[in-house]
Amino acid sequence: MSSTSDSHRLDAELAALASFSESPPPAVTRIVFGDMDRRARAYLKTLFGDASLVVREDAVGNTFARWPGRNPELPAVATGSHCDAIPNAGRYDGTVGVLGGLEAIRALQRAGFEPRRSIELVLFTSEEPTRFGIGCLGSRLLSGALEPSAGETLSSDGQSLNQVRRAAGFNGALEHVALSPGAYSAFVELHIEQGPLLERERIDIGVVTAIAAPASLRIIVEGQGGHAGAVLMPDRHDAFLAAAEIALAVEASARSTGVVDTVATTGVCEVFPGAINSVPSRTRLDVDVRDIDLLRRDAVLAAIERACGEVKARRGVAVRLEPINADPPAQCAPAIREAITTACESRGLRHRPMISRAYHDSLFMARIAPTGMIFIPCRDGVSHRPDEYASPEAIAHGTEVLADTLAALAK
Ligand SMILES: [Zn+2]
């Protein structure tokens, strides 16, 4: 059974989806539950309906489009990704997995394939942490990794998640979002690599073996402010300088493992009061640490905590650590990796195993279903920028490999 992706149509749909944006093209900004997110969802649901898929939404807005199989009582094979976009992003992150997933299903339909298991396309709510501060909101709730109480504890601009989602038309109790284990026999996500390796090595498909374990924490340093002219150097307890030392310790802690898979980033530094003539009294750092090895990742977190204690004592400041998340890594299922590899070989595509250093909804789906990921190259490895680009050819390869993989898992 060989299906062919309609690359013109898919390209046009990716362009149409990109037009639902809060920033002018080529930038795409689509914040969850905003006006553009709602219009993008409506557009996608129309396409799902056109493909005769049965659509259902849950209380947090995860959207499921099912192609019923011959044995609909069997656990379904699922694919999907997200369509929210961080401010000033591009048009391919997540959307390739949603529209590519849809095109894979349509390609199988056109080829006359009749799946034994149902095939379900999932549009996950809020993979990006932009609005509620936590990534993979929809898949965390689906997999039970996040408690339904998050509806009240998470907030955006003074409104709880529950208030925001209800205003967007997603009612019902978050308690009903979690899927029962065994709901899916497999989950496969198609995604742009968001890194340079595939393009550099001229490889068509990355077969993901593991997804790195992300952790993030907020570090608040409280020192003593004062007039930049009047407070003499020996008397200072500068919150920013303490934070700067901590940021360097974050880097040193990651480097100290001696392994390229360990990465740590201080991506946010907010200095208060933020005036040129005022000694910083408070500084907030947001720190992201990732590794494919959980123990090593946690050792880096412990080293950062020790460094905070040392800086605190030496500089006479207060340091508070607030964990934001600390998720375990995920291993991709050997059977799914094999199905992806077989698809690449039968289509004559170059492939290689690789680690996903970014996290995706797959990280959480792996808790409830055997999971795999298909990566395609993107230009210069660029993502989360307006110039993010994947060629129609690369997307067609990914879509066709996804179609073959879904067919193999659902037959
Ligand atoms: Zn993504």
Side-chain angles (χ1 to χ4, degrees):
M1 207 264 341
S2 186
S3 59
T4 313
S5 161
D6 182 344
S7 145
H8 283 289
R9 177 177 184 177
L10 181 49
D11 202 39
E13 288 171 348
L14 283 163
L17 186 54
S19 72
F20 301 107
S21 169
E22 285 137 31
S23 52
V28 178
T29 301
R30 204 157 41 232
I31 308 302
V32 68
F33 300 138
D35 184 42
M36 288 301 170
D37 178 55
R38 285 147 74 179
R39 290 171 60 184
R41 288 165 179 270
Y43 169 67
L44 289 169
K45 281 191 285 181
T46 310
L47 297 183
F48 299 162
D50 291 346
S52 308
L53 306 181
V54 183
V55 178
R56 162 179 95 81
E57 289 169 324
D58 70 16
V60 77
N62 291 313
T63 303
F64 308 83
R66 180 170 286 228
W67 180 18
R70 294 197 310 278
N71 292 359
E73 70 288 351
L74 289 176
V77 173
T79 185
S81 196
H82 63 101
C83 82
D84 63 326
I86 66 165
N88 210 36
R91 72 162 64 155
Y92 300 94
D93 174 10
T95 54
V96 160
V98 177
L99 286 169
L102 174 62
E103 180 51 26
I105 289 174
R106 290 188 304 220
L108 292 171
Q109 291 172 337
R110 287 194 299 270
F113 178 68
E114 288 182 11
R116 186 167 67 94
R117 294 177 184 275
S118 300
I119 297 181
E120 186 150 283
L121 177 61
V122 188
L123 170 64
F124 295 99
T125 284
S126 197
E127 192 268 347
E128 305 290 1
T130 316
R131 187 153 189 184
F132 294 101
I134 187 164
C136 298
L137 180 57
S139 52
R140 279 181 197 270
L141 285 164
L142 274 183
S143 66
L146 186 66
E147 293 296 322
S149 58
E152 293 304 326
T153 53
L154 294 178
S155 64
S156 152
D157 287 332
Q159 285 195 299
S160 71
L161 167 61
N162 280 342
Q163 289 172 315
V164 177
R165 72 181 171 92
R166 288 191 183 119
F170 299 106
N171 296 297
L174 290 187
E175 281 74 12
H176 300 145
V177 170
L179 291 174
S180 51
Y184 292 132
S185 63
F187 177 77
V188 193
E189 182 172 6
L190 170 64
H191 208 282
I192 58 170
E193 183 199 346
Q194 302 180 293
L197 298 182
L198 294 175
E199 184 185 61
R200 196 180 288 162
E201 297 172 10
R202 296 178 196 282
I203 287 175
D204 303 302
I205 298 289
V207 185
V208 175
T209 55
I211 305 170
S216 55
L217 69 155
R218 180 159 291 171
I219 302 174
I220 314 277
V221 182
E222 306 262 11
Q224 276 171 24
H227 194 285
V231 184
L232 300 180
M233 298 311 279
D235 299 329
R236 291 200 183 189
H237 301 278
D238 184 316
F240 167 69
L241 293 178
E245 286 200 52
I246 291 170
L248 289 171
V250 167
E251 183 196 27
S253 306
R255 283 181 181 273
S256 72
T257 68
V259 177
V260 294
D261 294 326
T262 320
V263 287
T265 308
T266 304
V268 173
C269 175
E270 254 183 30
V271 180
F272 185 84
I276 191 171
N277 57 355
S278 183
V279 179
S281 60
R282 188 174 71 239
T283 298
R284 172 191 134 197
L285 302 177
D286 284 357
V287 175
D288 177 297
V289 183
R290 305 178 191 213
D291 203 313
I292 53 165
D293 184 293
L294 186 62
L295 292 177
R296 204 163 56 210
R297 199 262 334 256
D298 287 347
V300 170
L301 289 174
I304 293 170
E305 196 172 340
R306 280 196 304 278
C308 288
E310 192 274 318
V311 169
K312 171 182 161 183
R314 184 159 43 75
R315 286 188 170 267
V317 294
V319 182
R320 193 167 76 246
L321 278 80
E322 298 171 0
I324 298 171
N325 69 295
D327 302 300
Q331 301 296 323
C332 290
I336 298 180
R337 287 168 53 184
E338 203 176 294
I340 298 168
T341 305
T342 304
C344 291
E345 298 204 325
S346 72
R347 287 183 181 270
L349 296 173
R350 287 165 56 88
H351 58 90
R352 62 160 278 179
M354 62 195 306
I355 287 161
S356 173
R357 297 178 192 281
Y359 65 87
H360 301 283
D361 293 304
S362 287
L363 180 67
F364 297 97
M365 293 308 284
R367 296 185 176 205
I368 55 167
T371 291
M373 286 194 82
I374 299 168
F375 274 180
I376 57 167
C378 55
R379 189 173 61 198
D380 298 330
V382 162
S383 184
H384 283 189
R385 275 176 25 188
D387 55 341
E388 177 181 271
Y389 179 77
S391 71
E393 189 192 22
I395 296 171
H397 288 154
T399 302
E400 288 170 355
V401 168
L402 176 61
D404 291 359
T405 305
L406 294 175
L409 296 169
K411 77 168 184 252

